[in-house]
Amino acid sequence: MISGLQRRQSTIDQAILSPGAVTINVQGAFIAEETESNTSTASEDGAQHDTDIRLPNHKTVVSHIALDATKVVYFSRESNSKEPGGRLNFLKYETDRIDQCLEFVKSLQNEQRTVNGTKSGELCIMATGGGAYKYYDQMKKVLGVEVLREDEMDCLIMGLDFFITEIPREVFTYEDSDPMRFKEPHADIYPYLLVNIGSGVSMIRVLGRRRFERIGGTSLGGGTLWGLLSLLTGARTFDDMLQMAEAGDNGAVDLLVGDIYGKGYGKIGLKSTAIASTFGKVFKMKRRGESLAEDSGGLSYERYEDTDGAVSEKTFKPEDISRSLLYAVSNNIGQIAYLQSEKHNLESIYFGGSFIRGHRQTIQTLSYAIKFWSEGKKKAYFVRHEGYLGSVGAFLKRQPRNWGRRNSFEESPIIRPVFQHHED
């Protein structure tokens, strides 16, 4: 007779020797929103904890962790609970905190050894993206474990497919009256366009499981916004920039349709608040702006009181600059995405990547661009875990046959992209 302990040890050994042999049971999966521990919070080491996905029916051991640069996905048991199952955890660091990220993964390694009774080296890292190569030697040195590198595009598509087909309340559309209208998981998802926005932007036409083509992109992405705002404002992190944009008024620096016509241009569908020229008002204020820049060391803003108590202000607020550039980058991406979808006859457009970060203005701008240019014929979709498409795909990359609720990831011979990849 085989004891329960022997069966458990056999399962652990199998998980360690062959991570892909672990069947992740997603039956009944849901986004865990009911406890404080699942809200998006930042820790002292700079980690950002995002909402977990509860897997109530998964019972077997998972001995691998997925990394996409400094974005981590890992499985954990429910703590202090008699309920079966566990959850997928989502954690991210800024890219300059790779050391802290790997220290956290090392702590997971020690925890796994304690909980499962395994040896310290018996943990597998599934890595994807540029970090899988840039930090490969560092990962092996710090963690002392096997690091399996997975193709970035494959992982992006697999991660998005998982969210679309398996997780309720994950995919949504945006309307001003209904900012988060959820789309139920469904199996009939192809074809679609994935617009992945990180430092730059990649646009990928997806025709089926592991059948995709990178059809274009743009170098004007999150890195562009971050770089320009680093020069023009005092913001030190991307989240700081998004917070400033929330408080800004782009009309202070952008030339609007209303500035030209005194009202909207209804005949061609332009509201008075439509942007005619990004930073278009700056030129008219150039001399005053330059003199203030010489005094302050940059195009910035500061409120101050004169001796008589009157409040004056410098020319350009960093909040207004932030909002203007956020709109400029987002509108540009949205319009290019529409043109690519039109060229390739794709009705569904999914936006992902760490640029979005659940930021309402960004989502609103991208959604409006698709709706405006397509005259409402195409849909812009967003996912709540938009920055984790690659790491989730890496986590799931070696799953076996029929693991999903709808068999969405049936194992089949690997089909490499059937189209030639284009370089921009």
Side-chain angles (χ1 to χ4, degrees), residues 66-108:
L67 286 174
D68 180 357
T70 52
K71 295 181 283 291
V72 186
V73 173
Y74 65 97
F75 177 83
S76 67
R77 292 290 175 197
E78 292 299 311
S79 59
N80 303 319
S81 174
K82 295 181 180 180
E83 297 180 5
R87 63 182 65 213
L88 282 182
N89 299 269
F90 300 85
L91 184 77
K92 64 174 177 279
Y93 292 80
E94 295 294 344
T95 52
D96 61 353
R97 289 180 175 264
I98 182 63
D99 294 337
Q100 290 91 331
C101 178
L102 294 183
E103 282 301 316
F104 174 77
V105 174
K106 191 173 182 178
S107 72
L108 291 179

Side-chain angles (χ1 to χ4, degrees), residues 346-394:
L346 301 168
E347 300 300 317
S348 297
I349 305 171
Y350 291 87
F351 289 93
S354 55
F355 170 76
I356 300 174
R357 300 195 180 204
H359 187 245
R360 178 166 177 158
Q361 286 180 330
T362 306
I363 292 171
Q364 180 186 42
T365 305
L366 292 169
S367 184
Y368 177 80
I370 298 302
K371 184 177 181 180
F372 178 83
W373 292 109
S374 71
E375 299 180 336
K377 296 176 183 178
K378 297 180 186 292
K379 282 283 188 181
Y381 294 98
F382 304 89
V383 291
R384 295 173 68 179
H385 293 91
E386 74 279 289
Y388 295 93
L389 301 186
S391 48
V392 167

Side-chain angles (χ1 to χ4, degrees), residues 156-171:
L156 286 172
I157 303 306
M158 180 168 280
L160 180 56
D161 282 359
F162 170 73
F163 285 130
I164 298 172
T165 61
E166 300 291 347
I167 306 300
R169 300 179 64 81
E170 174 69 42
V171 178

Side-chain angles (χ1 to χ4, degrees), residues 121-392:
E122 294 174 338
L123 177 70
C124 180
I125 301 298
M126 319 291 276
T128 189
Y133 296 88
K134 183 176 181 178
Y135 303 122
Y136 178 77
D137 292 335
Q138 186 176 355
M139 284 189 283
K140 294 201 70 174
K141 180 180 180 180
V142 172
L143 302 174
V145 298
E146 182 181 10
V147 178
L148 302 179
R149 291 181 286 197
E150 302 292 349
D151 180 78
E152 181 177 8
M153 294 296 175
D154 279 347
C155 289
L156 286 172
I157 303 306
M158 180 168 280
L160 180 56
D161 282 359
F162 170 73
F163 285 130
I164 298 172
T165 61
E166 300 291 347
I167 306 300
R169 300 179 64 81
E170 174 69 42
V171 178
F172 65 95
T173 57
Y174 179 92
E175 296 285 348
D176 288 336
S177 59
D178 190 1
M180 194 173 278
R181 178 177 294 178
F182 292 108
K183 186 174 180 63
E184 288 299 312
H186 60 289
D188 184 18
I189 64 175
Y190 307 113
Y192 66 77
L193 176 67
L194 168 60
V195 182
N196 193 59
I197 314 172
S199 298
V201 184
S202 284
M203 299 184 184
I204 307 164
R205 176 172 64 158
V206 183
L207 297 181
R209 188 173 58 252
R210 297 183 181 179
R211 295 181 59 218
F212 62 83
E213 174 192 16
R214 185 181 185 276
I215 55 177
T218 172
S219 61
L220 303 181
T224 307
L225 181 65
W226 194 339
L228 288 174
L229 291 182
S230 295
L231 291 172
L232 299 175
T233 74
R236 296 187 177 183
T237 70
F238 196 62
D239 288 328
D240 286 345
M241 296 170 190
L242 294 179
Q243 288 177 6
M244 285 198 303
E246 287 278 1
D249 174 15
N250 69 297
V253 293
D254 292 343
L255 186 66
L256 308 180
V257 169
D259 296 321
I260 300 173
Y261 291 95
K263 60 180 181 179
Y265 194 166
K267 187 175 181 179
I268 58 175
L270 295 177
K271 299 179 182 178
S272 63
T273 54
I275 300 170
S277 175
T278 298
F279 273 32
K281 288 178 181 173
V282 175
F283 180 76
K284 294 181 179 180
M285 307 165 73
K286 186 171 182 292
R287 290 183 180 177
R288 184 155 63 106
E290 286 179 344
S291 64
L292 290 171
E294 291 174 359
D295 295 337
S296 62
L299 295 178
S300 61
Y301 168 87
E302 177 183 279
R303 285 185 176 273
Y304 61 94
E305 289 189 3
D306 294 331
T307 54
D308 61 357
V311 177
S312 302
E313 58 187 48
K314 291 184 179 180
T315 308
F316 305 110
K317 291 175 61 176
E319 291 86 351
D320 300 340
I321 293 171
S322 298
R323 191 159 186 145
S324 173
L325 285 175
L326 176 67
Y327 281 163
V329 172
S330 299
N331 274 320
N332 183 62
I333 294 170
Q335 185 171 14
I336 295 173
Y338 161 73
L339 292 172
Q340 291 287 8
S341 71
E342 189 72 2
K343 177 180 178 181
H344 296 281
N345 195 29
L346 301 168
E347 300 300 317
S348 297
I349 305 171
Y350 291 87
F351 289 93
S354 55
F355 170 76
I356 300 174
R357 300 195 180 204
H359 187 245
R360 178 166 177 158
Q361 286 180 330
T362 306
I363 292 171
Q364 180 186 42
T365 305
L366 292 169
S367 184
Y368 177 80
I370 298 302
K371 184 177 181 180
F372 178 83
W373 292 109
S374 71
E375 299 180 336
K377 296 176 183 178
K378 297 180 186 292
K379 282 283 188 181
Y381 294 98
F382 304 89
V383 291
R384 295 173 68 179
H385 293 91
E386 74 279 289
Y388 295 93
L389 301 186
S391 48
V392 167

